Amino acid sequence: MRDIIIAGNWKMNKGLGEAVDFAERLKQVAEKGIAETVLPIIAPAFPLISHLAKVFEGSKVMVAAQDVSAHKSGAFTGEVSAEILASLGVPYCIVGHSERRSYHGESCEIVREKLLRLIDSGIKPILCIGETLAQREEGQTEEIILGQLENCLSGIGIYSGKDLIIAYEPVWAIGTGRTATGKQAQEAHSIIRNWLAERYSHTLAEALPILYGGSVKPYNIEELLLKPDIDGGLIGGASLEIDSYLKMLDKAINLNK
Ligand code: PGA
């Protein structure tokens, strides 16, 4: 049985005060006890990671970075390396988010470099993949997501389901309020899991968490989480308000899967 991960991707939102208020409320809830099988993760902007990690200390809540440099170290102004993240004890990092791919021209080659850096530094990547609306309408969903997996993971050492988290995020569902139905998401997740089984092993595929992202909200999260291959959510907009995040966490905790 895989854990359920409720990962909040705050993107470029929240300053220190707001972030700490949110984190303190979340920690209070976490201290009351969260089901063994549920893992809350919050990905704030870079400068806030340490602050939040301090608030969450001793609780089950984990922090994640939203991105990492493809370079190891050196003269790359404005970049943050995997080594720097590791020195802060950051356990997870989102990589290949569609906003990075489209606004910053990140190709799978770059995503691959980032994955290498993260794995070398002992940080677990949350690798985002997903098709655009045009690609879905052209019937290319499977080809696109498998192509992204092949290209991003080529030559990367993934040995167990604990080495990586995949987030299926159809681009047309991100920030649009237009979520994939449970059926559409499950279809994509099962394609991903089958690919993992063929590429690595059945055991690895069964253990590796695959999150869904794209307009996940308190009202639709349950339908998604009930699907056999959906192991949690990577949630943008609806993770910004503590009450909304806690509602989604609660659905995950009380899920009868
Ligand atoms: P959204 O964002 O929940 O606001 O659609 C998801 C994401 O970009 O990870």
Side-chain angles (χ1 to χ4, degrees), residues 77-150:
T77 302
E79 296 272 280
V80 177
S81 70
E83 273 178 27
I84 295 173
L85 293 176
S87 76
L88 298 171
V90 176
Y92 299 94
C93 180
I94 298 168
V95 65
H97 190 279
S98 73
E99 285 153 16
R100 302 287 324 166
R101 293 184 195 250
S102 59
Y103 305 148
H104 302 271
E106 268 186 25
S107 61
C108 272
E109 288 65 44
I110 295 175
V111 174
R112 197 181 153 274
E113 288 300 315
K114 293 185 172 192
L115 286 168
L116 283 170
R117 300 283 96 76
L118 289 172
I119 289 171
D120 276 356
S121 301
I123 298 171
K124 195 186 281 195
I126 302 173
L127 168 63
C128 302
I129 56 169
E131 80 288 357
T132 63
L133 186 57
Q135 290 164 337
R136 174 164 282 265
E137 285 172 349
E138 289 293 311
Q140 297 170 339
T141 300
E142 175 162 354
E143 182 189 331
I144 294 295
I145 58 182
L146 295 187
Q148 288 173 341
L149 287 172
E150 283 289 351

Side-chain angles (χ1 to χ4, degrees), residues 18 36 40 47 61 99 113 121 151 163 194 203 227 229:
E18 232 188 297
E36 270 288 296
V61 190
E99 285 153 16
E113 288 300 315
S121 301
N151 293 328
D163 292 346
N194 288 338
T203 314
K227 297 294 174 197
D229 288 303

Side-chain angles (χ1 to χ4, degrees), residues 27-248:
K27 188 185 182 187
Q28 279 168 12
V29 170
E31 275 174 340
K32 285 194 204 128
I34 290 182
E36 270 288 296
T37 50
V38 176
L39 173 64
I41 299 180
I42 297 292
F46 280 133
L48 305 180
I49 294 179
S50 291
H51 292 274
L52 292 207
K54 209 165 273 166
V55 176
F56 294 143
E57 218 168 76
S59 82
K60 260 198 98 173
V61 190
M62 294 285 138
V63 288
Q66 297 175 15
D67 187 33
V68 67
S69 175
H71 303 284
K72 212 170 162 6
S73 63
F76 299 99
T77 302
E79 296 272 280
V80 177
S81 70
E83 273 178 27
I84 295 173
L85 293 176
S87 76
L88 298 171
V90 176
Y92 299 94
C93 180
I94 298 168
V95 65
H97 190 279
S98 73
E99 285 153 16
R100 302 287 324 166
R101 293 184 195 250
S102 59
Y103 305 148
H104 302 271
E106 268 186 25
S107 61
C108 272
E109 288 65 44
I110 295 175
V111 174
R112 197 181 153 274
E113 288 300 315
K114 293 185 172 192
L115 286 168
L116 283 170
R117 300 283 96 76
L118 289 172
I119 289 171
D120 276 356
S121 301
I123 298 171
K124 195 186 281 195
I126 302 173
L127 168 63
C128 302
I129 56 169
E131 80 288 357
T132 63
L133 186 57
Q135 290 164 337
R136 174 164 282 265
E137 285 172 349
E138 289 293 311
Q140 297 170 339
T141 300
E142 175 162 354
E143 182 189 331
I144 294 295
I145 58 182
L146 295 187
Q148 288 173 341
L149 287 172
E150 283 289 351
N151 293 328
C152 293
L153 291 172
S154 128
I156 307 260
I158 303 292
Y159 303 104
S160 92
K162 292 197 185 320
D163 292 346
L164 179 72
I165 295 170
I166 292 175
Y168 168 62
E169 297 209 305
V171 180
W172 48 272
I174 296 177
T176 58
R178 185 179 165 184
T179 184
T181 61
K183 184 169 175 285
Q184 286 172 319
Q186 168 58 29
E187 272 166 17
H189 282 231
S190 117
I191 289 169
I192 296 166
R193 204 172 304 284
N194 288 338
W195 180 86
L196 290 168
E198 266 175 42
R199 168 73 184 261
Y200 301 100
S201 71
H202 186 71
T203 314
L204 182 145
E206 280 305 304
L208 195 144
I210 308 175
L211 314 184
Y212 168 80
S215 298
V216 176
K217 309 282 176 202
Y219 76 86
N220 62 23
I221 193 165
E222 196 170 11
E223 182 203 347
L224 292 157
L225 294 182
L226 279 170
K227 297 294 174 197
D229 288 303
I230 301 182
D231 308 315
L234 180 56
I235 306 155
S239 74
L240 290 172
E241 293 296 328
I242 183 71
D243 289 335
S244 159
Y245 183 84
L246 289 178
K247 270 186 206 150
M248 295 185 288

